[in-house]
Amino acid sequence: MTRFLLAALLFTLAGGVLAQDRQPPAKANPRGLGGLAQPDPKANPFQPGAVLPARPLTARNAAALLPQLEEEFEVLEAHLDGKRGHCKVAKIGIELAQLNASRVEKLAAAKAASREEFEKARLEIALAEAQYEIRNAELKETEIRIKHAKKRLEETKAIANRIVAPRPIEVKQIDPPPFAH
């Protein structure tokens, strides 16, 4: 029974590493200065997610951009909760691997477990620790993304809330000057 549980744990831990998204290598950051997107000359403007040439950020287009930035911020916060959960699971995996290793070590000392089982238990600890490090790095990455998304959102809100003073109207005299005799 314990071997079955151990095998299920290994399968779960190893499956998490192998099942991660295999995305193509990331290109250079599409966001330039001020969080504005940089144009992709080959981008189809009608394709979802296409990066179009950036316009200067004005109060009008900042107000239009606000809902998108708010959504991005909220989604990243939700991802953060998920990443914290993944870290907890990985930490529990370390504890479980350590418990199993101590059990196998006792059995090996009593000559009830083979040397291979003992080595396997030690490797399971290393695997669980590596999983935790990966999950912790993902958590930190999400925290950094949230920090930058919050900064972009605050900057855009400040621009959108800017009250632009109307330009003074210059009155020009259209009528000819009075006729002098």
Side-chain angles (χ1 to χ4, degrees), residues 57-121:
L57 197 56
T58 63
R60 178 176 287 158
N61 61 11
L65 190 61
L66 272 177
Q68 178 184 357
L69 292 175
E70 288 171 345
E71 179 186 355
E72 176 187 4
F73 181 70
E74 290 171 2
V75 167
L76 285 172
E77 283 183 328
H79 281 275
L80 183 64
D81 292 338
K83 298 296 181 183
R84 285 184 180 135
H86 286 288
C87 282
K88 284 182 183 180
V89 168
K91 210 174 226 182
I92 292 170
I94 291 173
E95 292 174 13
L96 183 61
Q98 289 171 342
L99 282 173
N100 187 44
S102 66
R103 184 186 62 79
V104 171
E105 183 179 5
K106 289 176 187 175
L107 290 173
K111 304 289 182 190
S114 68
R115 177 91 176 138
E116 291 83 20
E117 287 180 282
F118 179 68
E119 291 297 321
K120 183 179 177 184

Side-chain angles (χ1 to χ4, degrees), residues 135-152:
R135 299 301 183 192
N136 201 27
E138 291 172 351
L139 175 69
K140 288 178 183 177
E141 177 187 2
T142 304
E143 289 171 344
I144 291 169
R145 286 177 184 254
I146 286 175
K147 182 178 90 173
H148 289 288
K150 184 176 182 181
K151 181 180 175 186
R152 280 192 306 272

Side-chain angles (χ1 to χ4, degrees), residues 26 38 41-42 93 179:
Q38 297 298 313
K42 298 177 184 176
F179 189 66

Side-chain angles (χ1 to χ4, degrees), residues 114-134:
S114 68
R115 177 91 176 138
E116 291 83 20
E117 287 180 282
F118 179 68
E119 291 297 321
K120 183 179 177 184
R122 286 185 41 213
L123 289 175
E124 288 171 2
I125 293 174
L127 177 67
E129 288 172 346
Q131 281 287 335
Y132 178 73
E133 289 175 12
I134 291 169

Side-chain angles (χ1 to χ4, degrees), residues 7 19 40 48 51 59 124 134 151 167 169 172-173:
D40 181 4
V51 178
E124 288 171 2
I134 291 169
K151 181 180 175 186
R167 294 182 186 171
I169 299 174
K172 294 182 182 180
Q173 186 176 7

